[in-house]
Amino acid sequence: TDPDLGNGTTRLDVSAINSATNTVILQASENITFSAPIDIATAGVGLTADAGKDIFVNQSITTNGGNVALRAENGVFVNGVEINTNRNDSPQGSFIAIGGKQRVAIVNSQLRSRIDSDSSTKADTGAIAILSQQGSVDIIGSTISTTNFASGIAGDVVITAQDNVTFRNSTVFSRGNQGRILIGKSQFLDLAPKSIKLDNSALTTRNDVDATGRIDAGDISLIAQDSIELTNGSFITSSTDREGLAGLIYLQTDGGDVVLSGGSAIETNVKRNGFSPDSETPFAGGVFNSLLGRTDQKIVGSIGISTGNLLLTDGSYLDASTEGRGNAGAVIVSASNSVTLQNGGVIFSRVE
C-alpha cells in the first residue's frame, strides 16, 4: 500500500492484488478507482470492492475462476473495459455482481462469465447480476454474456433497477444449458423498474454448444411497472439448433404499455438442426400459467405478453416458429386495454 495522508487517498500496488492467494477485499469510505489492470492468477481467488461513494472501473478485471463483486452507495461506472472470470479457460464457475444504489452504467465494455471446455465436473457457469436499488441501470455499447460449453448450467443474467433499465447498442446473451436472461422483477430480485427499453439492442438465449446430451436454451423475461419498449431494430430471441428445447419469452407490465417499433422483433425458433426429444411432451409451470388458464403445462418455445396495451408498428413482429422437428410455439397475448398492429406489425406462429 501507498497511503497519501495529505488527501486521504490510498494507492495499492496492483502486483499484490494479482498475486493474492485469498479473496481480495477493498473497502473505502469514498471512491474506489481501478486505474491499472487486475489479473488474478490463483484459481478461485476473487475480488470484492465496497465503496461509500462511487466505483470507477477504468481498467480490465480478470480472475481465474474467482468471483467479482462491486458495490457502491452511489454509483458503479464501468467504462471501456472487460470484466472476465475465466482466465486460462478455468473450469470453475464464478459470478459477477455489480450494485450501485443510485446508478450503474456499463459503457463500451464486456462482462463475461464462461466455461470453455466440456469439463468432467459438469460445472455450472456463474451468474451475472446488476442492480440499482434506488436509481437506474444503463447498458451502452456493451456485451454481457454467460456461456457454458460443458453440459452444466449456463449462468443467468439478472438485471433490475428501481427507475429504468436501458440497453442502447448492446447485446446480452446466455449460451448453453438453461441459461436465462431476467430483466426487471424476478425470483432473485423482487424489484420491478418503471421502464425497460431496448434501443438497437438484443437479448438472446441459445443452445448451440458441442457438449454431449440434451441442452435446453434458457427462458427470457422482462417485467416492468409501466412500460417495455423495443425500438430501432431491437430483438429478443430464444432458439435451439440441436437436441433440446427453445426457451420461453415473457413480457409483463402492470397495466402499462409494451411497444415494438422500427422493425423490432420477439422470436422463438427451432432451427433446421434443432429438435425436441422424441419421448417428451412439452411441459412446465411458471409465468404462463395465468395466460393459459391451467397449471399443468406450458408450451415450450412460446411468447407470452401480459400488459395493458400492446403496439406492433413499423414492421415489428412476434414470431414463434420451427424449421426443424416438432411443433411451433404459441404466441399468447393478454392485454387489458388494446392490441394494435399497424404499418406492417405482424404476429406469426408457423412451421417453415
Side-chain angles (χ1 to χ4, degrees):
T1 62
D2 177 16
D4 184 343
L5 300 180
N7 61 17
T9 298
T10 298
R11 295 180 176 85
L12 300 179
D13 183 352
V14 71
S15 64
I17 297 175
N18 292 343
S19 61
T21 56
N22 292 294
T23 297
V24 177
I25 300 176
L26 306 176
Q27 294 179 312
S29 59
E30 295 195 4
N31 299 334
I32 294 176
T33 301
F34 293 91
S35 56
I38 303 296
D39 189 359
I40 299 175
T42 303
V45 173
L47 171 69
T48 296
D50 197 339
K53 289 188 178 179
D54 295 311
I55 293 177
F56 300 95
V57 183
N58 299 327
Q59 293 287 340
S60 293
I61 298 173
T62 304
T63 70
N64 189 11
N67 300 323
V68 175
L70 308 175
R71 298 187 296 264
E73 282 297 306
N74 186 28
V76 178
F77 304 92
V78 180
N79 188 15
V81 305
E82 179 181 74
I83 300 178
N84 179 11
T85 60
N86 188 42
R87 185 184 193 269
N88 297 334
D89 296 339
S90 170
Q92 181 173 340
S94 48
F95 67 77
I96 299 170
I98 298 176
K101 188 171 289 186
Q102 303 299 329
R103 190 178 180 213
V104 175
I106 313 294
V107 180
N108 298 328
S109 296
Q110 296 186 52
L111 275 58
R112 300 198 305 162
S113 177
R114 59 188 289 151
I115 292 176
D116 282 328
S117 60
D118 194 355
S119 169
S120 60
T121 62
K122 297 184 179 180
D124 297 339
T125 306
I128 296 177
I130 301 173
L131 167 66
S132 180
Q133 300 99 314
Q134 297 178 5
S136 296
V137 172
D138 295 298
I139 313 294
I140 301 171
S142 296
T143 300
I144 299 172
S145 63
T146 60
T147 303
N148 195 338
F149 288 100
S151 53
I153 303 298
D156 294 334
V157 177
V158 183
I159 303 173
T160 195
Q162 177 174 277
D163 290 335
N164 308 301
V165 176
T166 301
F167 302 89
R168 183 172 296 112
N169 302 325
S170 294
T171 299
V172 178
F173 69 85
S174 185
R175 184 180 181 190
N177 193 24
Q178 301 177 47
R180 300 173 297 178
I181 299 175
L182 309 175
I183 310 300
K185 184 177 180 180
S186 69
Q187 68 189 85
F188 302 110
L189 297 172
D190 188 20
L191 178 64
K194 295 175 183 176
S195 71
I196 300 170
K197 181 174 182 178
L198 279 68
D199 179 356
N200 188 35
S201 295
L203 310 178
T204 303
T205 62
R206 60 188 196 267
N207 68 350
D208 56 336
V209 296
D210 291 332
T212 58
R214 169 179 158 179
I215 302 292
D216 293 339
D219 297 341
I220 302 174
S221 71
L222 288 76
I223 300 179
Q225 297 178 50
D226 299 331
S227 66
I228 298 172
E229 181 181 3
L230 280 68
T231 188
N232 195 18
S234 295
F235 64 89
I236 302 171
T237 182
S238 180
S239 63
T240 175
D241 199 21
R242 51 163 295 151
E243 180 184 4
L245 306 175
L248 294 166
I249 299 176
Y250 179 71
L251 281 66
Q252 176 184 309
T253 69
D254 295 337
D257 301 311
V258 173
V259 177
L260 278 69
S261 64
S264 297
I266 299 175
E267 299 178 289
T268 61
N269 185 254
V270 178
K271 295 184 181 295
R272 195 163 303 280
N273 295 322
F275 62 95
S276 299
D278 290 335
S279 61
E280 180 164 339
T281 300
F283 73 97
V287 294
F288 270 44
N289 289 349
S290 60
L291 294 180
L292 293 171
R294 57 194 180 205
T295 60
D296 60 334
Q297 72 181 74
K298 71 181 177 184
I299 304 172
V300 296
S302 295
I303 299 166
I305 298 176
S306 178
T307 189
N309 304 288
L310 172 64
L311 170 62
L312 304 181
T313 188
D314 303 329
S316 298
Y317 61 91
L318 310 178
D319 185 6
S321 64
T322 178
E323 303 170 33
R325 288 165 46 187
N327 297 325
V331 178
I332 306 169
V333 176
S334 175
S336 58
N337 294 321
S338 66
V339 176
T340 304
L341 281 65
Q342 65 183 30
N343 297 333
V346 184
I347 298 175
F348 299 103
S349 179
R350 56 186 175 176
V351 177
E352 298 183 275

